[in-house]
PDB file of all heavy atoms in Angstrom:
ATOM      1  N   ALA R  83      25.190  -0.226 -11.198  1.00 90.00           N
ATOM      2  CA  ALA R  83      24.202  -1.195 -11.683  1.00 90.00           C
ATOM      3  C   ALA R  83      23.085  -1.395 -10.665  1.00 90.00           C
ATOM      4  O   ALA R  83      21.899  -1.440 -11.031  1.00 90.00           O
ATOM      5  CB  ALA R  83      24.881  -2.529 -11.995  1.00 90.00           C
ATOM      6  N   ARG R  84      23.441  -1.488  -9.382  1.00 90.00           N
ATOM      7  CA  ARG R  84      22.404  -1.716  -8.373  1.00 90.00           C
ATOM      8  C   ARG R  84      21.631  -0.451  -8.047  1.00 90.00           C
ATOM      9  O   ARG R  84      20.493  -0.528  -7.561  1.00 90.00           O
ATOM     10  CB  ARG R  84      23.005  -2.321  -7.097  1.00 90.00           C
ATOM     11  CG  ARG R  84      23.541  -3.721  -7.321  1.00 90.00           C
ATOM     12  CD  ARG R  84      23.553  -4.546  -6.049  1.00 90.00           C
ATOM     13  NE  ARG R  84      22.213  -4.895  -5.616  1.00 90.00           N
ATOM     14  CZ  ARG R  84      21.763  -4.751  -4.368  1.00 90.00           C
ATOM     15  NH1 ARG R  84      22.549  -4.224  -3.440  1.00 90.00           N
ATOM     16  NH2 ARG R  84      20.550  -5.120  -4.039  1.00 90.00           N
ATOM     17  N   LYS R  85      22.213   0.706  -8.327  1.00 92.00           N
ATOM     18  CA  LYS R  85      21.409   1.922  -8.209  1.00 92.00           C
ATOM     19  C   LYS R  85      20.248   1.847  -9.197  1.00 92.00           C
ATOM     20  O   LYS R  85      19.130   2.266  -8.891  1.00 92.00           O
ATOM     21  CB  LYS R  85      22.248   3.178  -8.502  1.00 92.00           C
ATOM     22  CG  LYS R  85      23.469   3.352  -7.615  1.00 92.00           C
ATOM     23  CD  LYS R  85      23.145   3.370  -6.144  1.00 92.00           C
ATOM     24  CE  LYS R  85      24.391   3.632  -5.305  1.00 92.00           C
ATOM     25  NZ  LYS R  85      24.175   3.398  -3.878  1.00 92.00           N
ATOM     26  N   ARG R  86      20.521   1.280 -10.366  1.00 91.00           N
ATOM     27  CA  ARG R  86      19.460   1.159 -11.370  1.00 91.00           C
ATOM     28  C   ARG R  86      18.485   0.037 -11.020  1.00 91.00           C
ATOM     29  O   ARG R  86      17.275   0.207 -11.143  1.00 91.00           O
ATOM     30  CB  ARG R  86      20.075   0.936 -12.749  1.00 91.00           C
ATOM     31  CG  ARG R  86      20.851   2.146 -13.277  1.00 91.00           C
ATOM     32  CD  ARG R  86      21.306   1.956 -14.707  1.00 91.00           C
ATOM     33  NE  ARG R  86      22.357   0.946 -14.836  1.00 91.00           N
ATOM     34  CZ  ARG R  86      23.658   1.204 -14.767  1.00 91.00           C
ATOM     35  NH1 ARG R  86      24.081   2.445 -14.540  1.00 91.00           N
ATOM     36  NH2 ARG R  86      24.547   0.235 -14.912  1.00 91.00           N
ATOM     37  N   THR R  87      18.996  -1.120 -10.581  1.00 94.00           N
ATOM     38  CA  THR R  87      18.101  -2.252 -10.360  1.00 94.00           C
ATOM     39  C   THR R  87      17.286  -2.139  -9.074  1.00 94.00           C
ATOM     40  O   THR R  87      16.198  -2.713  -8.979  1.00 94.00           O
ATOM     41  CB  THR R  87      18.884  -3.585 -10.340  1.00 94.00           C
ATOM     42  OG1 THR R  87      19.870  -3.549  -9.301  1.00 94.00           O
ATOM     43  CG2 THR R  87      19.564  -3.831 -11.681  1.00 94.00           C
ATOM     44  N   VAL R  88      17.798  -1.418  -8.080  1.00 94.00           N
ATOM     45  CA  VAL R  88      17.056  -1.264  -6.823  1.00 94.00           C
ATOM     46  C   VAL R  88      16.391   0.097  -6.746  1.00 94.00           C
ATOM     47  O   VAL R  88      15.167   0.206  -6.651  1.00 94.00           O
ATOM     48  CB  VAL R  88      17.969  -1.474  -5.593  1.00 94.00           C
ATOM     49  CG1 VAL R  88      17.168  -1.266  -4.296  1.00 94.00           C
ATOM     50  CG2 VAL R  88      18.584  -2.858  -5.615  1.00 94.00           C
ATOM     51  N   ASP R  89      17.184   1.159  -6.778  1.00 94.00           N
ATOM     52  CA  ASP R  89      16.643   2.499  -6.555  1.00 94.00           C
ATOM     53  C   ASP R  89      15.713   2.952  -7.682  1.00 94.00           C
ATOM     54  O   ASP R  89      14.818   3.758  -7.455  1.00 94.00           O
ATOM     55  CB  ASP R  89      17.789   3.492  -6.377  1.00 94.00           C
ATOM     56  CG  ASP R  89      18.582   3.213  -5.105  1.00 94.00           C
ATOM     57  OD1 ASP R  89      18.036   3.438  -4.022  1.00 94.00           O
ATOM     58  OD2 ASP R  89      19.731   2.749  -5.209  1.00 94.00           O
ATOM     59  N   ARG R  90      15.906   2.415  -8.878  1.00 95.00           N
ATOM     60  CA  ARG R  90      15.003   2.750  -9.987  1.00 95.00           C
ATOM     61  C   ARG R  90      14.045   1.602 -10.280  1.00 95.00           C
ATOM     62  O   ARG R  90      12.837   1.728 -10.079  1.00 95.00           O
ATOM     63  CB  ARG R  90      15.798   3.097 -11.242  1.00 95.00           C
ATOM     64  CG  ARG R  90      14.915   3.519 -12.423  1.00 95.00           C
ATOM     65  CD  ARG R  90      15.722   3.605 -13.715  1.00 95.00           C
ATOM     66  NE  ARG R  90      16.217   2.293 -14.135  1.00 95.00           N
ATOM     67  CZ  ARG R  90      17.101   2.111 -15.127  1.00 95.00           C
ATOM     68  NH1 ARG R  90      17.588   3.166 -15.767  1.00 95.00           N
ATOM     69  NH2 ARG R  90      17.486   0.889 -15.454  1.00 95.00           N
ATOM     70  N   ASP R  91      14.589   0.460 -10.734  1.00 96.00           N
ATOM     71  CA  ASP R  91      13.721  -0.597 -11.263  1.00 96.00           C
ATOM     72  C   ASP R  91      12.796  -1.191 -10.207  1.00 96.00           C
ATOM     73  O   ASP R  91      11.616  -1.455 -10.480  1.00 96.00           O
ATOM     74  CB  ASP R  91      14.565  -1.705 -11.895  1.00 96.00           C
ATOM     75  CG  ASP R  91      15.360  -1.219 -13.107  1.00 96.00           C
ATOM     76  OD1 ASP R  91      15.070  -0.113 -13.603  1.00 96.00           O
ATOM     77  OD2 ASP R  91      16.266  -1.947 -13.549  1.00 96.00           O
ATOM     78  N   ALA R  92      13.315  -1.436  -9.005  1.00 97.00           N
ATOM     79  CA  ALA R  92      12.460  -1.994  -7.954  1.00 97.00           C
ATOM     80  C   ALA R  92      11.360  -1.007  -7.563  1.00 97.00           C
ATOM     81  O   ALA R  92      10.228  -1.407  -7.266  1.00 97.00           O
ATOM     82  CB  ALA R  92      13.288  -2.372  -6.731  1.00 97.00           C
ATOM     83  N   ALA R  93      11.680   0.277  -7.582  1.00 97.00           N
ATOM     84  CA  ALA R  93      10.668   1.293  -7.271  1.00 97.00           C
ATOM     85  C   ALA R  93       9.583   1.319  -8.335  1.00 97.00           C
ATOM     86  O   ALA R  93       8.386   1.417  -8.028  1.00 97.00           O
ATOM     87  CB  ALA R  93      11.323   2.660  -7.138  1.00 97.00           C
ATOM     88  N   LEU R  94       9.995   1.229  -9.614  1.00 97.00           N
ATOM     89  CA  LEU R  94       9.015   1.186 -10.698  1.00 97.00           C
ATOM     90  C   LEU R  94       8.112  -0.031 -10.564  1.00 97.00           C
ATOM     91  O   LEU R  94       6.886   0.057 -10.703  1.00 97.00           O
ATOM     92  CB  LEU R  94       9.731   1.154 -12.051  1.00 97.00           C
ATOM     93  CG  LEU R  94      10.066   2.484 -12.727  1.00 97.00           C
ATOM     94  CD1 LEU R  94      10.933   3.386 -11.853  1.00 97.00           C
ATOM     95  CD2 LEU R  94      10.764   2.248 -14.070  1.00 97.00           C
ATOM     96  N   LEU R  95       8.737  -1.184 -10.290  1.00 97.00           N
ATOM     97  CA  LEU R  95       7.984  -2.424 -10.118  1.00 97.00           C
ATOM     98  C   LEU R  95       6.980  -2.308  -8.980  1.00 97.00           C
ATOM     99  O   LEU R  95       5.813  -2.714  -9.108  1.00 97.00           O
ATOM    100  CB  LEU R  95       8.960  -3.566  -9.837  1.00 97.00           C
ATOM    101  CG  LEU R  95       8.356  -4.923  -9.488  1.00 97.00           C
ATOM    102  CD1 LEU R  95       7.889  -5.633 -10.751  1.00 97.00           C
ATOM    103  CD2 LEU R  95       9.363  -5.798  -8.752  1.00 97.00           C
ATOM    104  N   PHE R  96       7.418  -1.744  -7.856  1.00 98.00           N
ATOM    105  CA  PHE R  96       6.553  -1.645  -6.683  1.00 98.00           C
ATOM    106  C   PHE R  96       5.364  -0.724  -6.950  1.00 98.00           C
ATOM    107  O   PHE R  96       4.230  -1.021  -6.546  1.00 98.00           O
ATOM    108  CB  PHE R  96       7.372  -1.150  -5.492  1.00 98.00           C
ATOM    109  CG  PHE R  96       6.765  -1.441  -4.154  1.00 98.00           C
ATOM    110  CD1 PHE R  96       6.528  -2.744  -3.752  1.00 98.00           C
ATOM    111  CD2 PHE R  96       6.455  -0.422  -3.266  1.00 98.00           C
ATOM    112  CE1 PHE R  96       5.974  -3.027  -2.503  1.00 98.00           C
ATOM    113  CE2 PHE R  96       5.915  -0.686  -2.031  1.00 98.00           C
ATOM    114  CZ  PHE R  96       5.670  -1.991  -1.641  1.00 98.00           C
ATOM    115  N   ALA R  97       5.604   0.375  -7.650  1.00 97.00           N
ATOM    116  CA  ALA R  97       4.507   1.290  -7.986  1.00 97.00           C
ATOM    117  C   ALA R  97       3.518   0.621  -8.935  1.00 97.00           C
ATOM    118  O   ALA R  97       2.293   0.727  -8.755  1.00 97.00           O
ATOM    119  CB  ALA R  97       5.062   2.571  -8.602  1.00 97.00           C
ATOM    120  N   ASP R  98       4.028  -0.060  -9.941  1.00 97.00           N
ATOM    121  CA  ASP R  98       3.147  -0.740 -10.888  1.00 97.00           C
ATOM    122  C   ASP R  98       2.338  -1.834 -10.189  1.00 97.00           C
ATOM    123  O   ASP R  98       1.144  -2.016 -10.453  1.00 97.00           O
ATOM    124  CB  ASP R  98       3.956  -1.350 -12.027  1.00 97.00           C
ATOM    125  CG  ASP R  98       4.573  -0.300 -12.944  1.00 97.00           C
ATOM    126  OD1 ASP R  98       4.212   0.893 -12.822  1.00 97.00           O
ATOM    127  OD2 ASP R  98       5.416  -0.666 -13.787  1.00 97.00           O
TER     128      ASP R  98
END
Side-chain angles (χ1 to χ4, degrees):
R84 293 206 70 228
K85 302 304 184 191
R86 293 187 290 270
T87 59
V88 178
D89 294 290
R90 183 191 66 190
D91 296 347
L94 271 58
L95 174 79
F96 200 61
D98 291 349

